[in-house]
């Protein structure tokens, strides 16, 4: 595949699912012989070191374009110059800003365009408006990657041609240097004699951290503590909610932690309480690390956890049901271990990293065929 050149374009935030996908595709693509470059559009003062660290280590070139958030024309000109200079075969965009501003420009240069729809943020306001425009703009892309079956149907209903939609669930990308259990628990500041429950994600409405806290208030068994890893606009309100629910002695907010997947060995249980998802990278990371999981059955989650041999799946927006699953996972040690093993077997068998890279190579070839015949 050495004759295939790809530019990945995104506006990275603190490293989350989208950023992990870009890192994985870039590093994996380079290892498979692609000529890969990453372009990151950031605002002044934004720290991209956590995002670009694995890319630099793998020798993947990274162009950081620093512009204010509303400098749209300047951004279009800067990215166009990058594309004119490097002339990639494929521009792979991630996120609605990259899709809307740069897909059309790349196509005018004769570059095949691919976008990945990672899922909706459900943030409302301007974000919802831009995501609505994005879904309709994707119909002009040469290929669109949907990370779950529900997203395939959603894209088709918005007018994206079915033959240009490619369902490619995310893959498990193990962290480069995972911490052993004792070091991970020390980093999380979790006592040895408690069940450590982890929640990792952006503190925004779609991730359902409020549902998680309301469920925890109903878990009447003892012997557990929670670490919430991540940051976002909801944090002050969530901290206030935890205090209101009497959880301050059991729930600690750690903020954004670079490469949080390195800490998963220190957890006994991982909870995903999202209202909407694609195929969440953090779920794959937790299961791949051997951690039992309780997750809401949204987006691609039921396709990952297919039975009670692989984890617990509950309805979204249902704190009572979520509390019951957490209580069972905390108190039934043998059952928790059984489902953790089943989840790890599932990830190792069906979410292979190299297969994920090869599937994307096929998507790129398909896009080139659409663009050039």
């Amino acid at each position: 595949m050495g004759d295939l050149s790809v530019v990945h374009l995104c506006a990275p935030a603190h490293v989350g699912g989208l950023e992990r996908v870009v890192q994985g595709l870039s590093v994996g693509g380079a290892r498979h012989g692609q000529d890969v470059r990453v372009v990151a559009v950031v605002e002044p003062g934004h720290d991209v070191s956590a995002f670009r660290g694995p890319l630099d280590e793998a020798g993947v070139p990274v162009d950081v374009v620093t512009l204010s958030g509303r400098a749209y024309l300047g951004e279009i000109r800067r990215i166009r110059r990058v594309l004119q200079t490097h002339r990639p075969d494929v521009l792979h965009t991630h996120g609605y800003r990259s899709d809307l501003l740069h897909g059309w420009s790349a196509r005018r240069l004769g570059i095949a365009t691919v976008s990945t729809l990672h899922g909706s943020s459900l943030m409302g306001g301007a974000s919802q408006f831009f995501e609505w425009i994005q879904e309709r703009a994707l119909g002009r892309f040469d290929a669109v990657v949907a990370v779950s079956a529900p997203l395939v149907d959603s894209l088709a209903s918005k007018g994206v041609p079915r033959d240009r939609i490619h369902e490619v669930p995310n893959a498990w990308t193990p962290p480069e240097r995972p911490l052993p259990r004792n070091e991970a628990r020390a980093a999380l500041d979790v006592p040895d004699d408690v069940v450590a429950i982890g929640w990792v994600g952006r503190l925004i409405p779609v991730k359902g951290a409020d549902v998680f806290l309301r469920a925890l208030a109903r878990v009447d068994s003892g012997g557990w503590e929670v670490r919430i890893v991540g940051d976002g606009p909801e944090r002050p309100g969530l901290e206030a909610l935890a205090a209101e629910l009497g959880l301050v002695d059991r729930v600690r907010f750690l903020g954004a932690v670079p490469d949080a997947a390195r800490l998963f060995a220190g957890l006994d249980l991982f909870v995903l309480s999202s209202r909407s998802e694609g195929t969440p990278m953090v779920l794959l990371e937790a299961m791949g690390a051997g951690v039992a999981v309780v997750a809401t059955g949204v987006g691609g989650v039921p396709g990952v956890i297919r039975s009670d041999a692989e984890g617990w799946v509950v309805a979204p927006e249902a704190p009572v049901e979520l509390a019951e699953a957490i209580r069972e996972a905390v108190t039934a040690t043998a059952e928790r271990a059984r489902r953790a093993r089943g989840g790890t077997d599932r990830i190792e068998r069906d979410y292979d990293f190299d297969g994920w890279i090869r599937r994307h190579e096929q998507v790129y070839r398909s896009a080139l065929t659409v663009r050039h015949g």
Side-chain angles (χ1 to χ4, degrees), residues 127-145:
S127 293
Q128 184 175 349
F129 173 70
F130 286 125
E131 288 175 358
W132 181 84
I133 298 175
Q134 175 199 29
E135 290 173 337
R136 282 141 187 86
L138 290 175
R140 294 188 288 275
F141 276 69
D142 300 308
V144 181
V145 174

Side-chain angles (χ1 to χ4, degrees), residues 199-283:
W199 188 102
V200 180
R202 289 185 66 201
L203 298 179
I204 57 177
V206 70
K207 297 301 181 181
D210 58 318
V211 180
F212 177 49
L213 292 175
R214 294 186 187 282
L216 290 174
R218 296 173 176 270
V219 180
D220 52 15
S221 61
W224 54 268
E225 290 190 14
V226 171
R227 298 295 181 264
I228 294 179
V229 178
D231 215 335
E234 282 206 314
R235 180 171 177 176
L238 291 168
E239 289 179 330
L241 178 61
E244 177 187 328
L245 295 171
L247 296 171
V248 291
D249 293 333
R250 288 184 145 184
V251 176
R252 188 179 304 176
F253 291 79
L254 301 183
V257 177
D259 204 5
R262 298 179 65 225
L263 302 175
F264 279 137
L267 299 176
D268 300 295
L269 181 67
F270 172 80
V271 177
L272 184 138
S273 53
S274 299
R275 294 177 164 93
S276 177
E277 280 289 354
T279 298
M281 292 287 285
V282 69
L283 177 65

Side-chain angles (χ1 to χ4, degrees), residues 262-333:
R262 298 179 65 225
L263 302 175
F264 279 137
L267 299 176
D268 300 295
L269 181 67
F270 172 80
V271 177
L272 184 138
S273 53
S274 299
R275 294 177 164 93
S276 177
E277 280 289 354
T279 298
M281 292 287 285
V282 69
L283 177 65
L284 305 181
E285 290 168 343
M287 294 171 70
V291 182
V293 298
V294 174
T296 48
V298 293
V301 172
V304 179
I305 307 173
R306 301 170 302 177
S307 72
D308 63 9
E310 298 166 349
W312 285 263
V313 177
V314 302
E317 301 272 15
V320 174
E321 186 178 351
L322 181 59
E324 291 173 354
I326 293 172
R327 184 186 300 108
E328 181 181 357
V330 167
T331 58
T333 305

Side-chain angles (χ1 to χ4, degrees), residues 156-227:
S157 72
K158 302 299 190 330
V160 180
R162 280 270 182 182
D163 60 355
R164 296 191 188 186
I165 305 173
H166 304 262
E167 183 184 348
V168 187
N170 291 327
W172 175 43
T173 55
E176 292 292 330
R177 289 178 294 276
L179 294 178
R181 180 173 172 83
N182 61 331
E183 292 182 23
R185 287 180 80 88
L188 292 166
D189 193 21
V190 177
D192 291 336
D193 59 347
V194 305
V195 175
I197 304 173
W199 188 102
V200 180
R202 289 185 66 201
L203 298 179
I204 57 177
V206 70
K207 297 301 181 181
D210 58 318
V211 180
F212 177 49
L213 292 175
R214 294 186 187 282
L216 290 174
R218 296 173 176 270
V219 180
D220 52 15
S221 61
W224 54 268
E225 290 190 14
V226 171
R227 298 295 181 264

